[in-house]
């Protein structure tokens, strides 16, 4: 089974995310043994950001890393377990709020495709970029 990075590449809907992960130098870590839970952003989710935001992030590697690490949890949490939680701590160091009252929401993003399995964890596809406060 492919790792999280190869799973994202093979899906062909995470091109911006893969570029961002590579630019930030996080690709090696996310190819590691994990396990990881990644709240993954499709190209469509990135397109919802204000014009120029993605380009600005790609030029500011420290800020880009913060944003990307805010989408990663250093454990494997499948959807059924995620729905039982009220928050999870990211590798960026802060918490994401989990709300499962109407589907599963992570902060203000909705999980649109849960439980995409990878060799070193799980991907939950979300519909918007999470910005750490």
């Amino acid at each position: 089974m492919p790792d999280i990075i190869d799973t994202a590449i093979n899906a062909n809907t995470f091109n911006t995310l893969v570029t961002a992960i590579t630019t930030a130098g996080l690709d090696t870590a996310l190819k590691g043994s994990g396990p990881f839970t990644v709240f993954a952003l499709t190209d469509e989710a990135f397109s919802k950001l204000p014009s120029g935001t993605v380009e600005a992030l790609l030029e500011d590697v420290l800020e880009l890393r913060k944003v990307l690490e805010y989408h990663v949890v250093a454990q494997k949490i499948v959807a059924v377990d995620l729905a039982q939680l009220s928050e999870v701590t990211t590798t960026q160091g802060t918490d994401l709020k989990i709300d499962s009252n109407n589907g599963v929401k992570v902060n203000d993003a909705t999980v649109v495709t849960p439980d995409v399995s990878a060799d070193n964890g799980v991907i939950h596809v979300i519909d918007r970029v999470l910005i750490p406060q």
Side-chain angles (χ1 to χ4, degrees):
M1 180 181 301
D3 59 44
I4 285 176
I5 296 296
D6 290 337
T7 299
I9 291 169
N10 293 340
N12 206 33
T13 56
F14 302 105
N15 299 316
T16 305
L17 179 62
V18 170
T19 298
I21 288 170
T22 303
T23 300
L26 296 173
D27 49 334
T28 302
L30 289 174
K31 284 182 147 301
S33 60
F36 302 104
T37 298
V38 175
F39 297 102
L41 308 158
T42 61
D43 296 332
E44 183 181 345
F46 274 107
S47 74
K48 294 177 182 178
L49 289 171
S51 180
T53 302
V54 172
E55 294 78 10
L57 283 171
L58 290 172
E59 291 177 15
D60 184 346
V61 174
L62 291 177
E63 189 63 26
L64 179 62
R65 280 185 76 103
K66 276 194 242 176
V67 170
L68 292 173
E69 289 174 347
Y70 194 56
H71 291 78
V72 179
V73 177
Q75 64 187 50
K76 181 178 179 179
I77 308 170
V78 294
V80 68
D81 295 329
L82 186 64
Q84 304 302 312
L85 300 173
S86 60
E87 63 184 28
V88 293
T89 302
T90 68
T91 58
Q92 185 260 349
T94 55
D95 293 339
L96 295 171
K97 292 185 185 341
I98 308 298
D99 179 355
S100 58
N101 289 328
N102 187 14
V104 176
K105 291 188 79 74
V106 180
N107 286 359
D108 58 350
T110 301
V111 175
V112 293
T113 307
D115 291 342
V116 177
S117 292
D119 186 50
N120 58 347
V122 64
I123 296 170
H124 301 296
V125 181
I126 57 174
D127 65 348
R128 62 181 43 211
V129 178
L130 305 170
I131 304 293
Q133 302 301 317

